[in-house]
Amino acid sequence: MAVPGRAHSQHHRLGRVGALGGSKRRSEAEELGILLRLAGVPRQHILLETRSRNTRENALNTRALLRQHPEIKSIVLITSAFHLRRAMGCFREVGLNPAVFPASYYSSDRQATLTYWLIPSDEAPRLWGILLHEMVGYAVYRLRGYVA
């Protein structure tokens, strides 16, 4: 997610200018737009970019959207910590240099017990899937020239 920084009018503009996923009826960007409205953010301070199908398109579409709003001088890229390297690479490759805010950290409290180290966690396959997805995704994006 890229969130515009301080706007020309000295008001903060908040909003999702790009997002992937979400329900089949609404994009993740539209769902976040609803959440922001429910939190009291004025509609005119929310920018939505709903056409993206992947991180590369998100960066390109965000750049196009920001060109329509020259009063926005800075943005913050909010994405999962696992996905941050690839997302930041895409944004930089299209000429954007957002501040970053990693979210969705995956960690656990390590315990000094025998069962902790010997009994597999039911979360392990899901976390390995996330890691492999990002590793392959980064490699593909690098080969295609989407990240440096």
Side-chain angles (χ1 to χ4, degrees):
M1 163 170 74
V3 179
R6 186 168 288 220
H8 179 71
S9 65
Q10 297 300 314
H11 289 95
H12 290 283
R13 282 195 182 211
L14 300 174
R16 180 88 162 217
V17 296
L20 307 173
S23 71
K24 295 194 186 277
R25 285 176 258 169
R26 287 187 296 265
S27 71
E28 195 175 291
E30 291 166 326
E31 290 177 359
L32 184 58
I34 291 168
L35 181 64
L36 290 169
R37 290 287 299 129
L38 290 172
V41 177
R43 188 177 308 272
Q44 66 271 20
H45 288 188
I46 300 172
L47 301 175
L48 297 178
E49 188 286 295
T50 60
R51 300 175 304 154
S52 299
R53 295 173 297 162
N54 57 50
T55 306
R56 165 77 169 167
E57 288 181 5
N58 183 213
L60 291 167
N61 294 340
T62 298
R63 180 181 65 186
L65 184 60
L66 291 173
R67 285 181 177 161
Q68 297 171 19
H69 296 276
E71 73 277 8
I72 298 172
K73 303 298 182 201
S74 64
I75 61 172
V76 177
L77 176 62
I78 303 171
T79 190
S80 72
F82 264 75
H83 183 60
L84 185 62
R85 180 179 178 200
R86 181 161 46 122
M88 192 62 190
C90 286
F91 275 73
R92 283 188 175 145
E93 197 63 29
V94 301
L96 299 175
N97 193 26
V100 296
F101 188 90
S104 299
Y105 286 93
Y106 295 100
S107 65
S108 64
D109 293 327
R110 295 185 183 190
Q111 301 169 5
T113 64
L114 192 58
T115 56
Y116 175 81
W117 292 104
L118 295 179
I119 299 176
S121 164
D122 58 350
E123 278 288 288
R126 185 179 74 80
L127 295 176
W128 274 105
I130 292 169
L131 176 62
L132 290 174
H133 175 86
E134 281 306 313
M135 290 174 69
V136 170
Y138 189 83
V140 168
Y141 272 43
R142 181 101 188 234
L143 286 172
R144 297 196 70 181
Y146 297 168
V147 297

